[in-house]
């Protein structure tokens, strides 16, 4: 009797809606061998997403599923879920995917869905996170990688990075600072997932068997910043 070949490389599907700078970091990590998986597909809900052109130019399989062609959110989510499932993903990476997903999609990939959000969750779920942090007089902002559940930006946090808010920062300068740390923590957290170090357990995210706090693990900059 022959045993089936063991699948070695894990499958990564990336969903985007726009610029795709986080996706690009994943593409670069894959090229340099720093990613614990293969990017098998990049999917956008917007035909004009810059990131789709970037991925295509790098020879990655891309698909556009235009949400405007569907009568309901659920119909779009069902089509998106079928396309994602066709790639047999070990992780589905939401890299600036700006559509709210319904249970039709989320329940099919629960435990494999990872998002990055530009705030120090649980603070500032939703939009305009940088302006909200500035308006509140916060001294720190940041980004959080988290598992996705049916609660908007409410799934268990995996990894979080902080940046200082200067008096001179506006929403745009702060977004640039936060984006820099997004690019550091996102592939790291996804690697943890692919290596089985972090899992979406019933009680929350567990790293190396330990339950993480609601803010996730805290990123320590390699340069000690
Ligand atoms: C990133 O800042 C990401 O955190 C944010 O969109 C930007 C996408 O940039 N995501 C969200 O706000 C999700 N709620 P990118 O397309 O250059 O990666």
């Amino acid at each position: 009797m022959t045993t089936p070949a063991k699948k070695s490389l894990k499958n990564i599907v990336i969903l985007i809606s726009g610029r795709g700078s986080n996706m690009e970091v994943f593409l670069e990590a894959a090229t340099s061998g720093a990613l614990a998986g293969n990017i098998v597909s990049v999917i956008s809900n917007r035909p004009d997403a810059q990131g789709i052109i970037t991925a295509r130019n790098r020879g990655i399989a891309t698909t556009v599923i235009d949400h405007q062609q569907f009568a309901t959110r659920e119909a779009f989510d069902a089509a998106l879920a079928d396309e994602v499932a066709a790639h047999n993903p070990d992780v589905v990476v939401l890299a600036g995917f700006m559509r709210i997903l319904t249970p039709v999609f989320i329940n099919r990939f629960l435990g494999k869905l990872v998002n990055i959000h530009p705030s120090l969750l649980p603070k500032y779920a939703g939009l305009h996170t940088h302006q909200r942090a500035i308006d509140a007089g916060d001294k720190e902002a940041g980004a959080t990688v988290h598992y996705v559940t049916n609660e908007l930006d409410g799934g268990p946090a995996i990894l979080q990075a902080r940046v200082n808010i200067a008096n001179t920062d506006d929403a745009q300068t702060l977004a640039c600072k936060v984006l820099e740390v997004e690019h550091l923590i996102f592939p790291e957290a996804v690697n943890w997932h692919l290596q089985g170090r972090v899992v979406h357990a019933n009680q929350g995210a567990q790293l190396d068997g330990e339950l993480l706090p609601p803010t996730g693990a805290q990123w320590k900059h390699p340069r000690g910043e």
Side-chain angles (χ1 to χ4, degrees), residues 127-211:
L127 298 175
H128 311 301
T129 54
H130 307 302
Q131 192 59 54
R132 285 158 72 198
I134 290 169
D135 290 348
D138 291 357
K139 298 285 173 244
E140 281 186 325
T144 310
V145 182
H146 66 98
Y147 282 115
V148 175
T149 62
N150 286 302
E151 186 190 340
L152 180 67
D153 300 324
I158 301 169
L159 183 56
Q160 184 167 81
R162 290 161 186 272
V163 301
N164 290 325
I165 303 179
N167 290 337
T168 48
D169 272 326
D170 59 21
Q172 218 180 344
T173 59
L174 185 54
C176 288
K177 281 188 193 175
V178 170
L179 193 65
E180 255 181 59
V181 294
E182 290 186 33
H183 293 168
L184 298 173
I185 63 173
F186 207 2
E188 175 84 1
V190 167
N191 272 345
W192 288 356
H193 172 87
L194 291 172
Q195 292 156 351
R197 286 191 59 196
V198 73
V199 293
H200 186 176
N202 282 338
Q203 317 90 305
Q206 275 183 2
L207 177 63
D208 298 331
E210 299 280 339
L211 192 62

Side-chain angles (χ1 to χ4, degrees), residues 18-23 95-98 115-118 126 153 179 182:
R19 177 178 53 188
S21 72
N22 277 288
M23 174 211 69
F97 186 73
M98 301 307 280
N115 181 45
I116 190 151
H117 184 74
D153 300 324
L179 193 65
E182 290 186 33

Side-chain angles (χ1 to χ4, degrees), residues 67-115:
H67 65 272
Q68 290 184 320
Q69 304 298 317
F70 293 83
T72 64
R73 215 173 257 284
E74 286 77 12
F76 166 73
D77 277 9
L80 180 66
D82 285 345
E83 175 62 29
V84 169
H87 298 282
N88 195 20
D90 295 288
V91 68
V92 181
V93 175
L94 306 185
F97 186 73
M98 301 307 280
R99 290 287 295 171
I100 292 175
L101 292 161
T102 67
V104 168
F105 184 89
I106 292 174
N107 293 346
R108 258 173 94 174
F109 302 103
L110 213 57
K112 295 182 181 176
L113 269 177
V114 179
N115 181 45

Side-chain angles (χ1 to χ4, degrees), residues 21-35 39 54 58:
S21 72
N22 277 288
M23 174 211 69
E24 219 173 327
V25 167
F26 277 91
L27 297 185
E28 279 157 19
T31 304
S32 69
L35 205 56
I39 300 166
T54 311
R58 300 269 193 118

